[in-house]
Amino acid sequence: MKIAIVHDWLVTYAGSEKVLEQLLQLYPDADIFSTVDHLPPGERGFIKNKPVTTSFIQKLPMSKKKYRTYLPFMPLAVEQFDLSSYDLIISSSHAVAKGVITGPTQLHISYVHSPIRYAWDLQHQYLKESGLDKGAKGLVAKWMLHKMRLWDARTANGVDHFISNSGFIAKRIYKTYHRDAHVIYPPVEVDRFQFGAAKQDYYLTFSRMVPYKKIDLIVEAFSAMPDKKLIVIGDGPDFNKVKAKAGANVQLLGFRPTSEVIEYVKNARAYVFAAEEDFGISIVEAQSAGTPVIAYGRGGALEIVRGMDTERPTGIFFDEQTVPSIVDAVERFEKQEDAIDYYACRENAARFSTERFRDEFKSFVDEKLGVRVAKLPAEGVFV
């Protein structure tokens, strides 16, 4: 059986790449397709140093740093991949990978991290943050996103089975494509984070500093609570904006190597998370270290953290992405902190291990392949 794995773009090692890594653990002989591949020679271990078939975008000017500017051409790019010789196609998609063209006797399973966020329900936020909500450039961007939505909805018909990375994304898939999706949570290296029961008196947040992560809100909230210490790890476009809001009790460390991050997570009193994420890998990582979580109660966080109304709570939620709401959550956490068992946090994180991901994914694929084989002789198609 020939297998192809289609990825949106290969430029770094982040959440979707960790899924790709595990898919290659399951299917080491699979061929990889991606719109661009700009992984440095020393950082290709997670794809087993395999060659990657890329699209014409790979050779366009500045595609290494400005690949996102070619988004209008990416639907055309993925449609040019010739997958006709493959029996099983697995797309790992948060943008365009699911749009590859497949035939009636091929099985296409798409693991969706999210439908294209900036083309669907987050369009207005994206345009505003990019300064494209007004003027001629804004009109062009809106038209491009309109065309992207039409293409994205149409190409959902080419997917035989959807897998979503959370129940939250399954709802988004149904809203966008009117298709059901089987939930398989993404793989998290829970054993990499050391458990710590001797917590220190500081709160922690770590993230790339981009607008939707809302790190500025967390910093502003703790600056309003000068008796509480906050440590912030991460860098990104919003770093100076965040720094300008930091009080004396807020320490910005910038980028730190993984070994240091692990130590800070292990010893933190609680991890603070204010984004509306599709899943939230950093939340699982904090829980695996036995660290309670104070999280915005939307998106994937609700599927990871066990709130105070559960039998073995692992954290607490706040309802709004505002400074007062975060301040209130921290105060509530300190009043109920003794009800959270650090060992319960660690056990909770085990639900999201890499081994569990591989087992669930392989079982799903094997089941669908079995249905395909059973139906092909009689009908020539599969469901």
Side-chain angles (χ1 to χ4, degrees):
M1 183 174 63
K2 289 190 66 178
I3 302 173
I5 299 177
V6 187
H7 196 70
D8 287 309
W9 46 73
L10 283 167
V11 296
T12 188
Y13 179 66
S16 61
E17 286 71 34
K18 292 177 181 178
V19 169
L20 175 60
E21 179 179 30
Q22 296 305 315
L23 293 178
L24 289 170
Q25 291 289 331
L26 284 171
Y27 309 107
D29 295 328
D31 294 327
I32 307 173
F33 294 78
S34 178
T35 56
V36 297
D37 172 18
H38 292 301
L39 291 173
E43 299 178 18
R44 306 180 66 84
F46 74 94
I47 62 168
K48 299 182 179 296
N49 296 302
K50 293 170 69 74
V52 176
T53 300
T54 58
S55 71
F56 64 82
I57 295 176
Q58 178 80 12
K59 297 180 179 179
L60 294 180
M62 301 294 289
S63 72
K64 186 172 185 177
K65 294 184 178 180
K66 301 289 186 180
Y67 62 93
R68 289 179 186 272
T69 63
Y70 292 115
L71 181 65
F73 300 101
M74 287 186 180
L76 175 63
V78 298
E79 289 177 346
Q80 304 315 303
F81 291 139
D82 182 4
L83 305 177
S84 58
S85 65
Y86 294 91
D87 305 292
L88 170 64
I89 294 93
I90 300 171
S91 57
S92 171
S93 183
H94 57 76
V96 298
K98 82 164 199 355
V100 292
I101 296 174
T102 59
T105 60
Q106 296 173 295
L107 180 63
H108 179 190
I109 294 175
S110 187
Y111 187 91
V112 176
H113 308 275
S114 176
I116 310 174
R117 301 175 187 89
Y118 30 86
W120 292 99
D121 53 319
L122 298 183
Q123 174 194 248
H124 300 293
Q125 177 183 332
Y126 163 75
L127 291 172
K128 185 176 181 180
E129 291 173 352
S130 303
L132 294 172
D133 53 332
K134 298 178 182 178
K137 288 184 178 180
L139 185 61
V140 171
K142 292 171 186 176
W143 174 250
M144 182 271 288
L145 292 174
H146 167 71
K147 300 295 286 185
M148 181 68 74
R149 282 191 294 275
L150 295 176
W151 175 85
D152 193 37
R154 177 184 63 77
T155 57
N157 294 322
V159 177
D160 297 297
H161 302 284
F162 281 101
I163 301 174
S164 65
N165 69 352
S166 66
F168 177 66
I169 292 303
K171 292 178 182 178
R172 186 177 276 172
I173 288 171
Y174 189 81
K175 182 79 171 181
T176 304
Y177 307 136
H178 296 285
R179 296 282 300 278
D180 291 326
H182 180 75
V183 177
I184 299 180
Y185 293 120
V188 184
E189 296 179 271
V190 294
D191 292 334
R192 184 177 64 162
F193 280 74
Q194 302 167 2
F195 176 80
K199 303 300 184 183
Q200 299 178 18
D201 192 19
Y202 67 84
Y203 293 85
L204 175 73
T205 189
F206 63 95
S207 170
R208 177 164 168 75
M209 292 191 187
V210 291
Y212 84 95
K213 293 291 188 178
K214 305 296 183 183
I215 303 299
D216 57 328
L217 278 181
I218 298 174
V219 167
E220 193 173 349
F222 274 86
S223 296
M225 299 181 286
D227 60 321
K228 307 182 195 308
K229 182 179 179 180
L230 173 70
I231 293 178
V232 182
I233 298 176
D235 203 348
D238 272 10
F239 185 86
N240 290 332
K241 174 184 176 182
V242 172
K243 185 177 180 180
K245 296 184 177 184
N249 61 319
V250 176
Q251 186 177 3
L252 274 67
L253 301 182
F255 172 80
R256 285 292 184 271
T258 301
S259 58
E260 289 189 30
V261 175
I262 290 173
E263 282 298 308
Y264 280 109
V265 174
K266 179 179 71 172
N267 297 319
R269 185 173 181 178
Y271 174 63
V272 187
F273 186 85
E276 181 179 331
E277 282 278 20
D278 308 329
F279 180 64
I281 288 177
S282 65
I283 299 176
V284 179
E285 292 173 336
Q287 296 267 271
S288 67
T291 300
V293 173
I294 301 171
Y296 178 47
R298 291 284 299 274
L302 290 172
E303 299 174 56
I304 302 171
V305 180
R306 292 173 175 163
M308 299 305 295
D309 57 342
T310 61
E311 184 176 347
R312 300 189 71 198
T314 66
I316 200 166
F317 297 108
F318 54 93
D319 297 329
E320 299 176 348
Q321 289 175 310
T322 63
V323 169
S325 189
I326 296 173
V327 170
D328 175 69
V330 173
E331 292 175 348
R332 285 188 288 114
F333 168 76
E334 293 191 352
K335 291 177 181 178
Q336 305 175 73
E337 187 176 5
D338 291 342
I340 298 176
D341 184 344
Y342 301 146
Y343 292 95
C345 295
R346 176 71 176 185
E347 292 170 8
N348 182 41
R351 298 187 292 135
F352 308 100
S353 69
T354 55
E355 293 79 11
R356 180 271 325 160
F357 172 84
R358 290 196 298 267
D359 289 345
E360 291 184 13
F361 195 94
K362 189 175 187 305
S363 294
F364 183 86
V365 172
D366 287 350
E367 176 191 343
K368 300 309 177 184
L369 282 171
V371 170
R372 172 179 179 266
V373 170
K375 286 183 173 285
L376 272 176
E379 303 176 25
V381 296
F382 57 88
V383 296

